Amino acid sequence: MRWPALIPQLLLLKFARDVRRLNRGDYSSLLAAYSDNFVLHFNEGEHRWSGDWEGRAGMERFLQNFTAARIQGEIRMIAISGPPWALTLWVRFDDRADAPDGTRIYENRTVLVLRTWWGKIVEQDDFYADTQRISALEHKLTELNIHPVA
């Protein structure tokens, strides 16, 4: 197998490990993959994740809200294009959340488009199969008294 063919598999192993940690509430290894001048473009709406999240500090706050909401995720696949120093990644990411009593309150499918520069993620766009589910989750979280991280 040629070296370029290994890159998607290595990235899948790395990010799958990072997401397992994220699911346990530890986002540190995932956060380390983002550059200081990073920007996440998230769909607009009436929810705590709406809009652009800038810089590593912005991404940390986004991930704090993600873990506080008890969202669990799983990477289904990764595809890449571009040279190693400026990769574009397409990541199929499925996520879900359960209430403290175990009731499923959220489930969605996502494609994340990430742009990298010399090994760090500099831009990310998230595309959800159903954006209304995110607003519905926000209402459930409010009912459960789970407030956004300031």
Side-chain angles (χ1 to χ4, degrees):
M1 182 178 280
R2 292 183 28 218
W3 169 247
L6 288 176
I7 293 174
Q9 293 303 316
L10 293 172
L11 289 169
L12 180 60
L13 288 171
K14 184 250 188 290
F15 285 115
R17 184 196 70 221
D18 292 348
V19 169
R20 284 192 302 274
R21 286 179 161 172
L22 176 66
N23 289 342
R24 294 190 306 265
D26 176 9
Y27 55 80
S28 60
S29 61
L30 185 60
L31 185 62
Y34 292 89
S35 74
D36 291 333
N37 62 343
F38 163 80
V39 62
L40 164 63
H41 306 287
F42 203 83
N43 77 296
E44 298 289 335
E46 294 184 25
H47 54 81
R48 63 191 72 197
W49 297 280
S50 180
D52 288 349
W53 297 78
E54 296 183 8
R56 191 175 286 159
M59 187 60 181
E60 182 169 21
R61 202 168 80 248
F62 180 93
L63 293 170
Q64 288 169 342
N65 277 301
F66 190 93
T67 56
R70 302 178 58 186
I71 298 173
Q72 300 288 293
E74 181 179 2
I75 294 177
R76 297 291 186 176
M77 66 178 283
I78 292 180
I80 66 168
S81 69
W85 60 88
L87 289 175
T88 297
L89 292 79
W90 291 269
V91 180
R92 166 73 187 277
F93 182 78
D94 294 350
D95 58 353
R96 65 197 175 282
D98 295 336
D101 68 0
T103 305
R104 178 72 34 104
I105 59 174
Y106 170 75
E107 194 166 19
N108 218 335
R109 293 183 325 270
T110 313
V111 173
L112 313 176
V113 179
L114 302 104
R115 290 164 199 75
T116 68
W117 185 250
W118 293 108
K120 293 289 186 179
I121 301 167
V122 295
E123 187 175 22
Q124 178 176 328
D125 291 278
D126 291 4
F127 300 96
Y128 280 80
D130 187 342
T131 58
Q132 292 302 321
R133 292 180 185 177
I134 302 166
S135 295
L137 172 61
E138 182 64 40
H139 293 294
K140 295 278 188 186
L141 294 172
T142 301
E143 289 173 7
L144 293 167
N145 209 25
I146 301 172
H147 301 289
V149 175

